[in-house]
Amino acid sequence: MKNILKTAFIALLALTACDDIDEADRFEGPVEFTPKKNVLIEDFTGQRCLNCPLAAEAVSKMRQTYGEEHVIAVAIHGGSLSLPDTSPVGLANATGESYNAFWGVNSWPKGLVDRGAGWSNPSSALLEYTSWSAAAVKRLQVEPAVQMALHNTYDAETGRLSIDVDLTALADVDGMVQVWLTENQITAPQIMPNGTMNTSYEHSHVFRAAVNGEWGEAVQLAEGEDAVKSYTFDLSAHASWTPDHMAVVAFVYSQSEGVMQVIDSPVVATVAE
Protein backbone atom coordinates (compact mmCIF):
# COMPACT_ATOMS: atom_id res chain seq x y z
CA MET A 1 0.00 0.00 0.00
CA LYS A 2 1.51 3.31 -1.11
CA ASN A 3 1.16 6.89 0.02
CA ILE A 4 -1.09 6.11 2.94
CA LEU A 5 -2.77 9.11 4.61
CA LYS A 6 -2.96 8.61 8.41
CA THR A 7 -5.39 10.19 9.52
CA ALA A 8 -22.00 -7.15 36.63
CA PHE A 9 -18.42 -8.95 36.14
CA ILE A 10 -16.28 -7.51 39.05
CA ALA A 11 -16.90 -4.02 37.80
CA LEU A 12 -15.34 -2.43 40.85
CA LEU A 13 -12.11 -4.35 40.25
CA ALA A 14 -12.12 -3.25 36.65
CA LEU A 15 -12.65 0.36 37.65
CA THR A 16 -9.73 0.36 40.03
CA ALA A 17 -7.28 -1.77 38.02
CA CYS A 18 -7.64 -0.48 34.45
CA ASP A 19 -5.39 2.36 33.33
CA ASP A 20 -7.01 5.78 33.04
CA ILE A 21 -5.79 7.54 29.91
CA ASP A 22 -5.36 11.27 29.55
CA GLU A 23 -6.96 12.29 26.26
CA ALA A 24 -4.23 14.89 25.79
CA ASP A 25 -1.67 12.06 25.42
CA ARG A 26 -3.32 10.59 22.35
CA PHE A 27 -1.47 10.61 19.02
CA GLU A 28 -3.18 12.45 16.20
CA GLY A 29 -2.25 12.23 12.49
CA PRO A 30 -2.03 12.75 9.70
CA VAL A 31 1.33 11.43 8.54
CA GLU A 32 2.04 10.48 4.93
CA PHE A 33 4.51 7.69 4.15
CA THR A 34 5.00 4.43 2.30
CA PRO A 35 5.25 1.39 4.62
CA LYS A 36 8.46 -0.60 4.23
CA LYS A 37 7.55 -3.41 6.61
CA ASN A 38 4.62 -4.65 8.64
CA VAL A 39 4.18 -4.02 12.35
CA LEU A 40 3.06 -6.34 15.16
CA ILE A 41 0.78 -5.01 17.91
CA GLU A 42 0.58 -7.28 20.97
CA ASP A 43 -2.49 -6.07 22.85
CA PHE A 44 -2.49 -7.28 26.47
CA THR A 45 -6.15 -7.26 27.34
CA GLY A 46 -8.88 -8.66 29.59
CA GLN A 47 -12.61 -9.22 29.56
CA ARG A 48 -13.03 -7.38 32.89
CA CYS A 49 -11.00 -4.34 31.80
CA LEU A 50 -12.90 -1.09 31.23
CA ASN A 51 -10.46 0.52 28.79
CA CYS A 52 -9.60 -2.60 26.81
CA PRO A 53 -12.38 -2.03 24.25
CA LEU A 54 -10.84 1.40 23.62
CA ALA A 55 -7.50 -0.24 22.89
CA ALA A 56 -9.23 -2.68 20.52
CA GLU A 57 -10.87 0.28 18.77
CA ALA A 58 -7.47 1.99 18.44
CA VAL A 59 -6.07 -1.15 16.79
CA SER A 60 -9.03 -1.30 14.41
CA LYS A 61 -8.46 2.32 13.38
CA MET A 62 -4.76 1.68 12.80
CA ARG A 63 -5.57 -1.27 10.57
CA GLN A 64 -8.07 0.79 8.60
CA THR A 65 -5.64 3.69 8.25
CA TYR A 66 -2.36 1.90 7.53
CA GLY A 67 -3.76 -1.26 5.93
CA GLU A 68 -4.74 -4.59 7.46
CA GLU A 69 -1.82 -6.24 5.68
CA HIS A 70 0.60 -3.84 7.39
CA VAL A 71 -0.79 -3.75 10.96
CA ILE A 72 -1.07 -7.23 12.44
CA ALA A 73 -2.69 -7.41 15.86
CA VAL A 74 -2.81 -10.15 18.49
CA ALA A 75 -5.02 -9.76 21.57
CA ILE A 76 -3.37 -11.61 24.46
CA HIS A 77 -5.73 -12.26 27.38
CA GLY A 78 -4.23 -12.83 30.81
CA GLY A 79 -3.86 -11.46 34.30
CA SER A 80 -6.32 -10.49 37.00
CA LEU A 81 -8.83 -8.84 34.64
CA SER A 82 -9.11 -11.86 32.35
CA LEU A 83 -11.27 -14.97 32.43
CA PRO A 84 -9.55 -18.34 31.94
CA ASP A 85 -10.42 -20.55 29.00
CA THR A 86 -11.47 -23.22 31.50
CA SER A 87 -14.62 -21.07 31.73
CA PRO A 88 -17.11 -21.45 28.82
CA VAL A 89 -16.71 -17.74 28.04
CA GLY A 90 -13.07 -17.17 29.04
CA LEU A 91 -10.29 -16.29 26.57
CA ALA A 92 -7.10 -16.41 28.67
CA ASN A 93 -4.90 -19.49 28.24
CA ALA A 94 -1.71 -20.64 29.96
CA THR A 95 0.60 -19.31 27.26
CA GLY A 96 -1.07 -15.91 27.29
CA GLU A 97 -0.69 -15.83 31.07
CA SER A 98 3.00 -16.65 30.66
CA TYR A 99 3.46 -13.76 28.22
CA ASN A 100 1.72 -11.38 30.64
CA ALA A 101 4.09 -12.50 33.39
CA PHE A 102 7.23 -12.26 31.26
CA TRP A 103 6.52 -8.72 30.04
CA GLY A 104 5.54 -7.60 33.54
CA VAL A 105 2.00 -6.54 32.68
CA ASN A 106 0.17 -5.57 35.87
CA SER A 107 -2.46 -3.16 34.51
CA TRP A 108 -4.49 -3.32 31.34
CA PRO A 109 -4.58 -2.45 28.51
CA LYS A 110 -0.87 -2.42 27.72
CA GLY A 111 0.89 -3.30 24.49
CA LEU A 112 4.03 -4.01 22.56
CA VAL A 113 4.73 -2.45 19.18
CA ASP A 114 7.19 -4.71 17.34
CA ARG A 115 8.37 -5.81 20.81
CA GLY A 116 10.43 -2.65 21.21
CA ALA A 117 14.16 -2.98 20.56
CA GLY A 118 17.13 -3.09 22.88
CA TRP A 119 15.12 -3.09 26.11
CA SER A 120 17.02 -3.79 29.34
CA ASN A 121 14.03 -5.39 31.06
CA PRO A 122 10.80 -6.61 29.41
CA SER A 123 8.39 -4.20 31.11
CA SER A 124 10.25 -1.21 29.69
CA ALA A 125 8.98 -2.19 26.23
CA LEU A 126 5.30 -1.84 27.26
CA LEU A 127 3.29 1.11 25.94
CA GLU A 128 -0.08 2.67 26.71
CA TYR A 129 -2.54 2.12 23.87
CA THR A 130 -2.60 5.85 23.09
CA SER A 131 1.08 5.55 22.10
CA TRP A 132 0.70 2.57 19.78
CA SER A 133 -0.10 4.53 16.63
CA ALA A 134 2.91 6.84 16.90
CA ALA A 135 5.20 3.88 17.57
CA ALA A 136 3.68 1.95 14.67
CA VAL A 137 4.31 4.84 12.24
CA LYS A 138 8.00 4.73 13.12
CA ARG A 139 8.25 0.95 12.79
CA LEU A 140 6.38 0.85 9.49
CA GLN A 141 9.16 2.95 8.00
CA VAL A 142 11.99 0.61 9.09
CA GLU A 143 13.70 -1.48 6.41
CA PRO A 144 12.79 -5.16 7.00
CA ALA A 145 15.65 -7.57 7.66
CA VAL A 146 13.74 -10.52 6.25
CA GLN A 147 11.10 -11.23 3.62
CA MET A 148 8.38 -13.70 4.64
CA ALA A 149 5.59 -15.73 3.06
CA LEU A 150 3.05 -18.13 4.57
CA HIS A 151 1.54 -21.24 3.00
CA ASN A 152 -1.21 -22.91 5.05
CA THR A 153 -3.03 -26.16 4.29
CA TYR A 154 -5.99 -27.17 6.44
CA ASP A 155 -7.64 -30.61 6.26
CA ALA A 156 -11.17 -30.20 7.61
CA GLU A 157 -11.66 -33.96 7.95
CA THR A 158 -8.68 -34.55 10.20
CA GLY A 159 -8.30 -31.06 11.68
CA ARG A 160 -4.63 -31.04 10.67
CA LEU A 161 -3.14 -27.66 9.86
CA SER A 162 0.17 -27.60 7.96
CA ILE A 163 2.17 -24.37 7.88
CA ASP A 164 5.18 -23.44 5.77
CA VAL A 165 7.00 -20.20 6.58
CA ASP A 166 9.26 -19.05 3.74
CA LEU A 167 12.12 -16.77 4.78
CA THR A 168 14.55 -14.74 2.68
CA ALA A 169 17.17 -12.73 4.55
CA LEU A 170 17.54 -9.15 3.31
CA ALA A 171 20.33 -8.66 5.86
CA ASP A 172 22.09 -10.98 8.28
CA VAL A 173 19.44 -12.38 10.64
CA ASP A 174 20.03 -13.80 14.11
CA GLY A 175 16.80 -14.22 16.01
CA MET A 176 13.69 -16.32 16.52
CA VAL A 177 10.85 -17.25 14.21
CA GLN A 178 7.51 -17.42 16.03
CA VAL A 179 4.24 -18.88 14.73
CA TRP A 180 0.92 -18.21 16.47
CA LEU A 181 -2.75 -18.93 15.88
CA THR A 182 -5.40 -16.26 16.39
CA GLU A 183 -9.18 -16.20 16.08
CA ASN A 184 -11.66 -13.49 15.08
CA GLN A 185 -15.42 -13.08 15.55
CA ILE A 186 -15.54 -14.59 19.04
CA THR A 187 -18.68 -13.55 20.91
CA ALA A 188 -17.93 -13.41 24.63
CA PRO A 189 -18.63 -11.06 27.58
CA GLN A 190 -16.68 -7.82 27.94
CA ILE A 191 -16.85 -4.99 30.46
CA MET A 192 -17.29 -1.74 28.51
CA PRO A 193 -15.80 1.70 29.26
CA ASN A 194 -19.07 2.83 30.86
CA GLY A 195 -18.94 -0.08 33.31
CA THR A 196 -21.71 -2.14 31.72
CA MET A 197 -21.35 -5.77 30.72
CA ASN A 198 -21.72 -6.50 26.99
CA THR A 199 -22.46 -10.23 26.70
CA SER A 200 -22.47 -10.03 22.88
CA TYR A 201 -19.11 -8.31 22.43
CA GLU A 202 -17.14 -9.49 19.40
CA HIS A 203 -13.49 -10.15 20.21
CA SER A 204 -10.91 -9.97 17.41
CA HIS A 205 -7.35 -11.26 16.89
CA VAL A 206 -7.56 -13.40 20.04
CA PHE A 207 -4.37 -15.35 20.77
CA ARG A 208 -5.16 -19.06 20.73
CA ALA A 209 -1.88 -20.95 20.60
CA ALA A 210 1.85 -20.87 19.97
CA VAL A 211 2.52 -23.43 17.22
CA ASN A 212 6.30 -23.71 17.60
CA GLY A 213 6.82 -23.22 21.31
CA GLU A 214 6.27 -20.29 23.64
CA TRP A 215 9.19 -18.27 22.23
CA GLY A 216 9.59 -19.84 18.79
CA GLU A 217 12.56 -21.40 17.04
CA ALA A 218 16.04 -19.98 16.58
CA VAL A 219 16.91 -18.84 13.06
CA GLN A 220 20.22 -17.61 11.67
CA LEU A 221 20.47 -16.54 8.04
CA ALA A 222 23.15 -14.77 6.05
CA GLU A 223 22.03 -11.97 3.75
CA GLY A 224 20.44 -13.50 0.66
CA GLU A 225 19.92 -16.91 2.27
CA ASP A 226 16.55 -18.68 2.06
CA ALA A 227 14.92 -21.08 4.50
CA VAL A 228 11.57 -22.82 4.97
CA LYS A 229 10.22 -23.62 8.43
CA SER A 230 7.43 -26.22 8.48
CA TYR A 231 4.98 -26.94 11.30
CA THR A 232 1.76 -28.82 11.98
CA PHE A 233 -1.04 -28.22 14.49
CA ASP A 234 -4.03 -30.39 15.42
CA LEU A 235 -7.11 -28.17 15.44
CA SER A 236 -9.38 -31.16 16.07
CA ALA A 237 -8.34 -31.01 19.72
CA HIS A 238 -10.01 -27.59 20.06
CA ALA A 239 -13.67 -28.07 19.22
CA SER A 240 -14.69 -24.57 20.36
CA TRP A 241 -12.41 -22.87 17.84
CA THR A 242 -13.72 -21.98 14.37
CA PRO A 243 -11.03 -22.56 11.69
CA ASP A 244 -12.86 -20.34 9.18
CA HIS A 245 -12.29 -17.41 11.56
CA MET A 246 -8.67 -18.19 12.37
CA ALA A 247 -5.32 -16.93 11.10
CA VAL A 248 -1.69 -17.92 11.29
CA VAL A 249 0.64 -15.13 12.44
CA ALA A 250 4.36 -15.55 11.83
CA PHE A 251 7.16 -13.17 12.75
CA VAL A 252 10.92 -12.98 13.16
CA TYR A 253 12.25 -11.08 16.18
CA SER A 254 15.18 -10.52 18.48
CA GLN A 255 15.65 -8.52 21.66
CA SER A 256 17.99 -6.08 19.93
CA GLU A 257 16.02 -5.61 16.69
CA GLY A 258 12.45 -6.12 17.85
CA VAL A 259 10.16 -7.62 15.20
CA MET A 260 12.06 -7.69 11.92
CA GLN A 261 8.99 -8.69 9.91
CA VAL A 262 5.52 -10.10 10.57
CA ILE A 263 2.81 -11.53 8.31
CA ASP A 264 -0.49 -13.33 8.70
CA SER A 265 -2.65 -15.58 6.58
CA PRO A 266 -6.06 -17.28 7.04
CA VAL A 267 -6.09 -20.87 8.25
CA VAL A 268 -8.76 -21.62 5.65
CA ALA A 269 -7.98 -20.03 2.30
CA THR A 270 -10.75 -17.84 0.89
CA VAL A 271 -11.86 -18.63 -2.64
CA ALA A 272 -12.42 -15.72 -5.00
CA GLU A 273 -15.83 -15.73 -6.68
Side-chain angles (χ1 to χ4, degrees):
M1 179 179 297
K2 295 186 176 181
N3 297 325
I4 299 176
L5 186 62
K6 302 316 179 262
T7 341
F9 256 118
I10 316 182
L12 179 59
L13 176 62
L15 281 166
T16 58
C18 280
D19 286 344
D20 291 324
I21 306 301
D22 187 342
E23 190 171 347
D25 291 336
R26 301 187 182 189
F27 169 76
E28 301 291 342
V31 175
E32 188 175 353
F33 66 97
T34 300
K36 296 178 180 178
K37 68 178 288 294
N38 304 331
V39 64
L40 175 66
I41 309 294
E42 292 170 81
D43 174 9
F44 293 99
T45 188
Q47 289 171 266
R48 300 186 300 198
C49 167
L50 287 172
N51 286 322
C52 287
L54 299 178
E57 182 180 349
V59 168
S60 179
K61 288 180 179 178
M62 277 191 284
R63 285 169 56 83
Q64 292 172 17
T65 302
Y66 311 145
E68 293 184 358
E69 73 274 32
H70 293 306
V71 178
I72 296 172
V74 179
I76 302 173
H77 289 252
S80 61
L81 298 186
S82 288
L83 296 174
D85 61 3
T86 52
S87 158
V89 296
L91 298 175
N93 57 44
T95 308
E97 293 285 3
S98 180
Y99 291 147
N100 269 264
F102 175 82
W103 294 104
V105 185
N106 54 29
S107 62
W108 296 262
K110 283 290 195 298
L112 300 170
V113 176
D114 268 356
R115 294 205 157 172
W119 40 265
S120 57
N121 68 77
S123 63
S124 66
L126 292 172
L127 296 173
E128 304 289 350
Y129 79 87
T130 50
S131 299
W132 297 352
S133 185
V137 167
K138 293 179 182 178
R139 292 297 298 177
L140 287 164
Q141 298 177 79
V142 171
E143 294 286 350
V146 61
Q147 180 177 306
M148 303 180 68
L150 269 170
H151 305 283
N152 307 325
T153 303
Y154 174 63
D155 186 329
E157 291 187 3
T158 65
R160 179 185 173 92
L161 171 64
S162 300
I163 303 165
D164 288 334
V165 184
D166 295 347
L167 305 169
T168 298
L170 305 177
D172 290 346
V173 172
D174 184 3
M176 306 290 287
V177 57
Q178 178 79 74
V179 180
W180 284 345
L181 297 180
T182 63
E183 186 173 352
N184 284 309
Q185 300 179 42
I186 300 175
T187 300
Q190 175 67 50
I191 286 281
M192 302 304 290
N194 63 3
T196 63
M197 171 59 63
N198 182 350
T199 58
S200 300
Y201 185 85
E202 185 173 292
H203 296 263
S204 300
H205 323 297
V206 174
F207 172 78
R208 285 304 202 185
V211 171
N212 62 340
E214 192 169 306
W215 298 104
E217 175 186 356
V219 59
Q220 282 113 16
L221 299 172
E223 183 177 352
E225 187 177 356
D226 298 324
V228 178
K229 301 292 185 180
S230 298
Y231 309 98
T232 61
F233 192 90
D234 183 11
L235 285 171
S236 69
H238 304 278
S240 65
W241 300 359
T242 304
D244 285 342
H245 298 165
M246 297 185 70
V248 178
V249 174
F251 58 99
V252 175
Y253 74 97
S254 71
Q255 179 178 338
S256 60
E257 301 295 325
V259 174
M260 303 175 208
Q261 184 58 294
V262 55
I263 56 173
D264 66 352
S265 180
V267 164
V268 179
T270 55
V271 179
E273 296 183 358

